[in-house]
Amino acid sequence: MSKLLFFASDFKIGLSALLTDELIAFYQYGIDVYAIAGEKEQEPGLTEKIKLRSIPITRVKGLDCHANFRMLAEAIKEIIVKNKIRIVHVQNNWQLALIAYVKYKLLFKQKIQIIYTLHGFRHNSLWKSYIAQLVIGSALFLFADKVICMSGYLKRKFRLLSYKIELLPLGVPSTFFTEKLEPLPQNGLQMIFPAQFRHGKNQDVIIRAFAEHIKRTKDSDSRLVLPGAGDLLNEMKKLVDSLGISNRVEFPGLLSKEDIRQLYLKSNIGIVSSNSETFGQSIVEPFVLGRCVISRPVGIACDIIQDGVNGYIYDHQRDLIKLLDNLYTHQDKMRQMGANNFQRRDLFRWDNISKEYRNRLLTL
């Protein structure tokens, strides 16, 4: 099996929590992986997690700043040559450009295959989305050997590259995989949507639907939790106040993954209102924990949700209101849907994803 160079950091973030989990999963599964990352880390403790497992990693200063292109390319080329790397997995366009340049410089000395994970493409802005798809699609056509799409929704956006695309989801941290299904709350609708407060996430759709549901049904039990931070947070708080439901909606702010997990366990519905998602952690995490999932047809939602079986897909605010009314009247449905999701949670175990990754992508 060829040695893999894995980029574990992203633009302005540094060493990423998600990519650290992926890196560790690959290493523990037996993939011969060597990591590279910028000098920063997204949250404290990520570097220690890698060191504890003795995973080889090189920290390159400035890697995630999008400057000093040639200097960075030379540093990466040395790593590739010294460690006899044959396959490189990149996470963004800057990393793709660096490796494409290195590949050109090593053209007759060392063959390199490039894997690219499609994480995003400005999909919450229509015109920016079209331009991004064109630019990214062209770059992937020219330079990538394989492209990982995390959902059928994303694959359809880049259908012209289908011959290069492998459909492979992301995993969920092992702490989300409880041995037994934690019982769902039985006091009405206990809903949660962790997300940034920015255009395209549409927390206002959930808030307005919830307020209308309360008005129609006189529901006095249900609550909505909206973790996260962002430019539109204060606007959403004002909306909640104007609708008279400030005692029913909680804004706990930016939370750790463990804090989010605990909030999921206190909920019975994971709800998503985004215009678009490349994958959708807020879809998958409640799914794995055995909660009912209600989502717009974005990210991985349509790949895993069957209407009325383990959740619902909706398009408009009026549809969401009807769903909330129905689930409040028939709360036993949520428990059955959650149990159905819990039975399929292994789809998102990193071990299973690592196996598929090795079998499908490391035989290039």
Side-chain angles (χ1 to χ4, degrees):
M1 182 173 59
S2 299
K3 182 176 284 188
L4 171 71
L5 179 64
F6 184 85
F7 278 73
S9 62
D10 207 351
F11 179 49
K12 292 184 178 180
I13 293 175
L15 187 62
S16 152
L18 176 63
L19 296 175
T20 297
D21 285 344
E22 188 170 6
L23 169 65
I24 291 171
F26 287 173
Y27 183 79
Q28 290 180 333
Y29 192 74
I31 293 173
D32 190 4
V33 61
Y34 188 104
I36 182 173
E39 71 275 23
K40 298 179 181 179
E41 59 181 9
Q42 186 177 18
E43 58 187 50
L46 297 179
T47 299
E48 286 305 310
K49 285 174 69 174
I50 293 171
K51 284 183 178 178
L52 282 172
R53 292 162 177 84
S54 301
I55 300 174
I57 183 170
T58 296
R59 310 300 286 269
V60 179
K61 186 177 181 180
L63 178 62
D64 306 310
C65 297
H66 293 195
N68 302 315
F69 182 89
R70 290 203 173 188
M71 182 187 74
L72 291 171
E74 286 300 320
I76 293 167
K77 187 178 78 169
E78 287 182 20
I79 293 169
I80 288 173
V81 172
K82 180 180 178 180
N83 293 281
K84 298 179 181 178
I85 301 293
R86 291 291 181 268
I87 302 176
V88 182
H89 187 154
V90 299
Q91 315 293 341
N92 59 42
N93 300 328
W94 173 252
Q95 295 168 4
L96 177 63
L98 286 167
I99 295 302
Y101 178 79
V102 171
K103 185 174 182 177
Y104 168 76
K105 295 288 284 185
L106 293 174
L107 188 60
F108 300 108
K109 298 178 182 178
Q110 191 165 321
K111 186 178 179 182
I112 300 172
Q113 304 286 327
I114 302 175
I115 300 170
Y116 182 104
T117 294
L118 246 170
H119 289 282
F121 54 96
R122 295 186 179 273
H123 44 266
N124 279 313
S125 169
L126 188 60
W127 68 271
K128 287 182 180 178
S129 173
Y130 286 138
I131 294 172
Q133 285 180 59
L134 178 62
V135 172
I136 295 171
S138 298
L140 296 177
F141 173 78
L142 291 171
F143 303 119
D145 295 283
K146 285 290 184 180
V147 178
I148 296 176
C149 283
M150 299 171 283
S151 65
Y153 173 86
L154 185 58
K155 183 178 180 179
R156 289 189 290 274
K157 294 287 184 181
F158 290 85
R159 61 178 65 89
L160 294 178
L161 294 170
S162 58
Y163 68 101
K164 290 187 176 187
I165 290 175
E166 291 289 344
L167 193 58
L168 194 67
L170 293 172
V172 172
S174 58
T175 54
F176 279 69
F177 290 89
T178 55
E179 186 177 341
K180 295 180 180 180
L181 173 61
E182 293 283 341
L184 276 67
Q186 299 184 34
N187 54 332
L189 313 178
Q190 302 301 317
M191 300 176 288
I192 179 172
F193 177 38
Q196 293 180 343
F197 286 88
R198 60 176 173 81
H199 290 290
K201 290 299 182 181
N202 303 333
Q203 284 93 341
D204 61 304
V205 170
I206 303 175
I207 292 168
R208 293 181 193 279
F210 185 38
E212 183 62 24
H213 159 73
I214 291 172
K215 181 180 177 181
R216 286 156 59 118
T217 63
K218 310 302 180 186
D219 174 358
S220 60
D221 302 315
S222 303
R223 293 185 64 82
L224 171 63
V225 182
L226 297 172
D231 295 340
L232 298 182
L233 175 56
N234 287 333
E235 184 178 320
M236 294 303 108
K237 288 181 177 180
K238 289 177 182 177
L239 175 61
V240 165
D241 288 339
S242 70
L243 293 171
I245 57 171
S246 56
N247 63 327
R248 310 289 290 278
V249 181
E250 183 181 349
F251 297 93
L254 195 61
L255 302 176
S256 69
K257 185 65 74 175
E258 177 56 25
D259 288 337
I260 293 291
R261 187 180 77 88
Q262 291 298 329
L263 286 176
Y264 276 129
L265 293 176
K266 295 176 182 178
S267 73
N268 45 33
I269 296 175
I271 187 167
V272 176
S273 55
S274 308
N275 283 341
S276 184
E277 296 281 352
T278 53
F279 178 58
Q281 291 286 346
S282 51
I283 299 168
V284 170
E285 289 170 352
F287 180 98
V288 166
L289 287 168
R291 271 53 196 157
C292 172
V293 181
I294 303 176
S295 175
R296 296 195 65 216
V298 297
I300 200 165
C302 292
D303 299 333
I304 61 173
I305 296 175
Q306 294 176 270
D307 261 350
V309 176
N310 60 345
Y312 293 99
I313 302 290
Y314 74 98
D315 267 314
H316 305 289
Q317 182 176 303
R318 62 179 179 272
D319 303 322
L320 180 56
I321 295 168
K322 292 177 183 177
L323 287 174
L324 298 184
D325 290 352
N326 181 263
L327 285 173
Y328 182 67
T329 304
H330 305 95
Q331 294 181 33
D332 56 310
K333 287 184 179 180
M334 289 184 291
R335 292 188 285 276
Q336 185 56 57
M337 290 178 186
N340 290 341
N341 284 334
F342 193 75
Q343 293 300 316
R344 299 176 60 204
R345 67 194 187 281
D346 286 352
L347 288 170
F348 301 103
R349 285 191 188 273
W350 273 120
D351 277 357
N352 294 334
I353 293 164
S354 298
K355 178 181 179 180
E356 290 298 314
Y357 183 95
R358 187 178 70 178
N359 292 344
R360 288 196 259 158
L361 291 155
L362 298 188
T363 54
L364 293 172

